[in-house]
Amino acid sequence: MTNPEAHRRVTVVLFPGFELLDVFGPVGLFGHVPEIEVEYVASIAGPITSAQGAEVIATGCTAELEAVDILLVPGGAGTRTLVEDAEFLDWLKHIGSRARLVASVCTGSGLLAAAGLLEGKRATSNKLAFDWATSFGNEVTWVKEARWVEDGNRWSSSGVAAGMDMAVALVSSILGEEAGRLAARKIEYRPQTDGTVDPFADLAK
């Protein structure tokens, strides 16, 4: 008999200027896990241009999203505008508070903090943008030296490629360590499996 808990859905939030690897580093790993499916949403369904110029099709509209299992929020240059977008932040707070798990990559944690989704939580962010990202939120414990941080159902990772390490850890957490190892092996990736080891921490000023 199939265990329904073994099937999970990751909803990726896209916006103009999102960082490409923030999304497709983790998605590249999720794509090798049969139990995980991925969907892309944006404020308006259709092609969304990344910070690198590549367009990704959002098949869903955020306003129509009712239930979320795993919400993934990337970072990128576009976050600088979104932290001032009250309508987006209200939506993010609403949907994030109802999600079973919320994860961010890079400066996506700045968006989570601005939306109030990291209050009382530990989190990390891109070290080159650490001062900016950590300026949001009131009761957030920002961890400078961390590849990724897990605090309850809130996960956050450091800059860009760190999202892949978080993704392996996330898969391992929800489906077992062997599932994480298999996904990493299939893409010939050697992940950092200790989230406290951060060779880029000294980049944060």
Side-chain angles (χ1 to χ4, degrees):
M1 183 176 179
T2 301
N3 178 9
E5 283 298 302
H7 295 274
R8 308 297 298 267
R9 176 189 289 262
V10 176
T11 300
V12 181
V13 180
L14 299 180
F15 49 83
F18 73 90
E19 184 72 22
L20 203 60
L21 191 60
D22 284 9
V23 170
F24 289 104
V27 167
L29 283 149
F30 296 148
H32 288 283
V33 182
E35 298 87 351
I36 295 179
E37 60 180 313
V38 178
E39 65 176 347
Y40 305 93
V41 300
S43 58
I44 299 176
I48 307 297
T49 305
S50 71
Q52 289 70 34
E55 290 188 339
V56 179
I57 304 298
T59 56
C61 175
T62 53
E64 299 172 353
L65 200 62
E66 295 182 358
V68 173
D69 181 10
I70 300 171
L71 186 70
L72 179 64
V73 180
T79 60
R80 304 307 198 274
T81 301
L82 283 182
V83 291
E84 304 296 336
D85 187 331
E87 183 177 353
F88 173 82
L89 294 178
D90 284 346
W91 170 83
L92 184 59
K93 182 175 184 177
H94 172 72
I95 202 69
S97 63
R98 299 167 62 197
R100 291 179 64 184
L101 190 152
V102 179
S104 65
V105 181
C106 193
T107 53
S109 58
L111 291 178
L112 296 186
L117 290 170
L118 293 180
E119 293 302 297
K121 300 292 186 180
R122 298 168 64 251
T124 194
S125 194
N126 185 320
K127 300 313 181 306
L128 288 173
F130 201 69
D131 282 352
W132 178 81
T134 60
S135 68
F136 301 99
N138 297 312
E139 298 294 333
V140 184
T141 301
W142 292 102
V143 184
K144 179 180 177 182
E145 190 166 348
R147 192 70 173 154
W148 78 88
V149 170
E150 173 192 1
D151 190 341
N153 67 343
R154 298 288 189 268
W155 290 63
S156 57
S157 63
S158 185
V160 194
M164 298 176 69
D165 294 337
M166 181 186 70
V168 174
L170 183 55
V171 170
S172 298
S173 175
I174 63 178
L175 296 172
E177 291 186 5
E178 183 60 19
R181 282 194 295 267
L182 280 174
R185 188 163 62 203
K186 285 180 179 179
I187 66 169
E188 298 190 15
Y189 178 63
R190 180 179 292 177
Q192 171 54 259
T193 57
D194 184 344
T196 67
V197 176
D198 183 5
F200 303 101
D202 61 355
L203 296 177
K205 305 300 184 183

